[in-house]
C-alpha cells in the first residue's frame, strides 16, 4: 500500500495526515515531509496516524528522530488517532512515555500553543 501524506494548518499547529503502512520503504517519505515542515519554520506538529494500520521499527525510529529534531528547535511533535496495533508498538517500545499521544486530532490541537505573530 502506498503512503499518503498531507499537511494542513491546525489550531496552533500543523497537522500531518498519514495513510498507509509505515515501514522501511515509506518511512523516508514521512521523515522528508516532517523535515520540510521544520525547515519551513513549523514548530508544533500533530501526526494523525488514523489511517495507519502497520508501523515497523524503521518508522518508529523516524518518529523518534523527528520528535528530537523538533524538540531541539523548541518545538513539539505529538501523535493522534493511533490505531490499536500501532499503539501497541509505541507502548512496547516505551515511545508512548516520551511522545504525547491523543485519542483524536482535536484533542491534540487543544494542547498546542497558539502561534504568535
Amino acid at each position: 500500500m502506498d503512503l499518503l501524506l498531507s499537511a494542513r494548518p491546525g489550531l496552533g499547529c500543523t497537522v500531518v495526515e498519514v495513510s498507509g503502512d509505515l515501514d522501511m520503504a515509506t518511512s523516508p517519505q514521512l521523515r522528508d515531509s516532517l523535515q520540510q515542515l521544520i525547515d519551513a519554520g513549523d514548530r508544533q506538529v500533530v501526526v494523525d496516524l488514523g489511517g495507519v494500520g502497520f508501523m515497523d521499527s524503521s518508522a518508529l525510529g523516524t518518529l523518534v528522530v523527528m520528535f528530537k529534531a523538533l524538540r531541539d528547535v523548541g518545538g513539539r511533535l505529538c501523535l493522534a488517532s493511533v490505531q490499536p496495533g500501532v499503539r501497541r508498538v509505541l507502548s512496547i517500545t516505551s515511545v508512548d512515555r516520551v511522545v504525547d499521544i491523543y485519542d483524536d486530532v482535536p484533542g491534540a490541537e487543544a494542547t498546542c500553543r497558539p502561534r504568535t505573530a
Side-chain angles (χ1 to χ4, degrees):
M1 177 181 215
D2 291 337
L3 185 68
L4 301 175
L5 296 169
S6 64
R8 65 171 176 80
L11 300 175
C13 61
T14 300
V15 177
V16 177
E17 297 171 346
V18 184
S19 183
D21 290 344
L22 281 172
D23 55 26
M24 186 186 309
T26 59
S27 58
Q29 187 180 346
L30 176 62
R31 183 190 64 243
D32 292 346
S33 179
L34 293 172
Q35 187 63 56
Q36 287 175 1
L37 293 175
I38 294 169
D39 292 346
D42 290 274
R43 293 298 177 256
Q44 295 194 70
V45 178
V46 174
V47 180
D48 178 357
L49 295 176
V52 176
F54 173 81
M55 181 171 65
D56 72 5
S57 60
S58 63
L60 186 66
T62 294
L63 288 173
V64 170
V65 165
M66 298 318 296
F67 168 83
K68 289 179 180 180
L70 270 162
R71 184 189 63 195
D72 290 348
V73 295
R76 175 175 177 251
L77 180 140
C78 64
L79 307 176
S81 304
V82 180
Q83 300 301 308
V86 173
R87 188 176 285 267
R88 199 167 18 262
V89 170
L90 296 169
S91 177
I92 289 169
T93 57
S94 297
V95 170
D96 62 348
R97 294 183 184 191
V98 178
V99 179
D100 293 328
I101 300 174
Y102 297 91
D103 291 337
D104 53 30
V105 172
E109 288 177 313
T111 69
C112 292
R113 294 182 305 273
R115 292 184 179 139
T116 56

